[in-house]
Amino acid sequence: SRSSVSHGERAKCHPNALARRLFAIAETKQTNITVSADLTTTRELLSIAEALPSTLPLLANSGSFAALGPYIAVFKTHIDIISDFTSDTTDQLQRVAEKHNFLIFEDRKYIDIGNTVQKQYRGGALRIYDWAHIINASVLAGEGIIDALSQTIENGEERDRGILILAEMTSKGSLATGEYTKASVEIARKHKEHVIGFVATRQLSADTRSDEAVPGEDFLIFTTGISISSKGDALGQQYQSPASAMERGADFLIVGRGIYSGSDPVASAKAYRDAGWKAYLSRLEG
Ligand code: S5P
C-alpha cells in the first residue's frame, strides 16, 4: 500500500509542487509534525516558531527560549485569534518559515459559497492567500468552494499553494462522516492540481478506492486530535496517540496543546516528533 512508500519516493513522483516540497521538508528535517500554534498574540506566535526572548507567562517557564522551527514540517495558524494582528505578524512569520524551512497552514476552514470564500481567501484584513501555503475547506456547501479557491490560486502569482479538504472532524458527535467524507474524496479527485489531501483521522482514498491504485493520485493525510497524554478536553475534543494516528494512515500529525501548553514546548515538540517519526519508519519497514 502507499503508506509503506517513503516521503522521498512520494516526493519524486507527486504531481503537486507544494506536496513535493512538503515531503522533502519532512525527509530533510525528519519530522511529520505540524504544530497547531493556537496562540493569541503576535509575540507568542512568533516566539514559539523562532527563538525570541519571551517574558510572557505562557512561555516564560520554558527555561530558555521556545523555538519549534527546527522540529516541525508545518506551522498551523488560526490567524483570526491573534488580538494584535497586523500584516507585520504574517510578514515576520513568513521570514521565520523560510529560515527554518517549514510551511504555513492557515486553518481557516472555508465553508461558504464560492464568491464569498474568494474574498475571504484573497483579501480582507488577513490576505491569507499571500502568506499561507496551505488552507483547508469544508465541502458542506458542495464542490463550488473548491472551484472558487482553485481559481484564486490559478489567477494568483504564488505557485506553492495547496488545499486540504476537511473530510472528518475530531470533535465529539461530528457530522463530517459517511456520505460527507465520501464526497470529500470524490471532490478531491476532481481537483488534484490544487487539493493536496485531507484533514482526516485515517487514510481515506483506500476506503473509496477499489484495489487498483489511481495513477497520479497521492493524497496527504493531516490528522488532528493528537495527544500523548490526554484523551480529550472539556469541550468535546477527542485525542488519539501519535502511533495510533500513524497506524490509521496519517502522514502529518497536527499537535496543539500537547506541544504549546506544557512547561517546555521544545521538549514536547521533540517528543511528538520522535514518536511520529518512529511510527513512520516502522510503517516503512512493516
Ligand atoms: O477535526 C479537527 C480539525 C482541526 S483543523 N479537529 C481539530 O482539533 N482541528 C484543529 O486542530 C483545531 O482547530 C485546533 O487548532 C487543533 C487541535 O488543537 P489541540 O490543542 O486539541 O491539539
Side-chain angles (χ1 to χ4, degrees), residues 70-221:
Y71 311 108
I72 59 169
V74 181
F75 190 86
K76 185 173 84 60
T77 53
H78 278 300
I79 210 66
D80 59 354
I81 66 177
I82 301 289
S83 56
D84 59 348
F85 175 86
T86 69
S87 60
D88 196 48
T89 307
T90 43
D91 287 349
Q92 290 196 62
L93 184 59
Q94 278 180 291
R95 253 173 264 137
V96 177
E98 264 162 49
K99 180 176 165 197
H100 287 290
N101 194 26
F102 58 74
L103 300 184
I104 305 171
F105 169 9
E106 165 53 30
D107 187 3
R108 174 62 181 76
K109 299 188 180 73
Y110 295 101
I111 195 165
D112 217 312
I113 61 166
N115 184 60
T116 299
V117 299
Q118 285 189 336
K119 292 176 187 166
Q120 291 172 323
Y121 182 27
R122 192 76 188 86
L126 302 177
R127 305 195 64 83
I128 291 168
Y129 165 85
D130 288 347
W131 52 267
H133 302 99
I134 302 171
I135 51 162
N136 54 358
S138 161
V139 293
L140 183 73
E143 187 174 350
I145 190 169
I146 305 299
D147 286 325
L149 295 168
S150 299
Q151 209 180 72
T152 299
I153 296 171
E154 304 224 311
N155 294 340
E157 317 73 50
E158 308 290 347
R159 293 277 69 99
D160 54 350
R161 294 291 177 266
I163 303 165
L164 297 173
I165 293 181
L166 188 65
E168 292 183 318
M169 290 206 68
T170 56
S171 35
K172 211 168 176 184
S174 163
L175 306 177
T177 60
E179 288 303 312
Y180 170 87
T181 304
K182 241 160 108 186
S184 300
V185 177
E186 278 154 25
I187 293 171
R189 288 195 165 128
K190 291 204 232 159
H191 294 85
K192 279 181 202 160
E193 281 132 279
H194 302 296
V195 174
I196 59 171
F198 305 101
V199 174
T201 66
R202 62 201 160 93
Q203 161 73 281
L204 289 181
S205 21
D207 287 349
T208 49
R209 192 203 287 173
S210 53
D211 287 346
E212 74 258 21
V214 180
E217 175 169 305
D218 182 10
F219 293 120
L220 284 70
I221 302 289

Side-chain angles (χ1 to χ4, degrees), residues 221-277:
I221 302 289
F222 280 71
T223 299
T224 64
I226 303 292
S227 176
I228 287 174
S229 57
S230 170
K231 289 277 164 252
D233 70 11
L235 297 173
Q237 174 70 298
Q238 304 171 115
Y239 291 118
Q240 59 176 324
S241 70
S244 149
M246 293 299 292
E247 180 99 359
R248 289 162 60 92
D251 296 309
F252 291 90
L253 304 175
I254 301 179
V255 187
R257 284 163 286 181
I259 290 179
Y260 70 76
S261 74
S263 59
D264 190 344
V266 171
S268 301
K270 285 182 187 165
Y272 280 92
R273 173 213 192 192
D274 290 349
W277 199 253

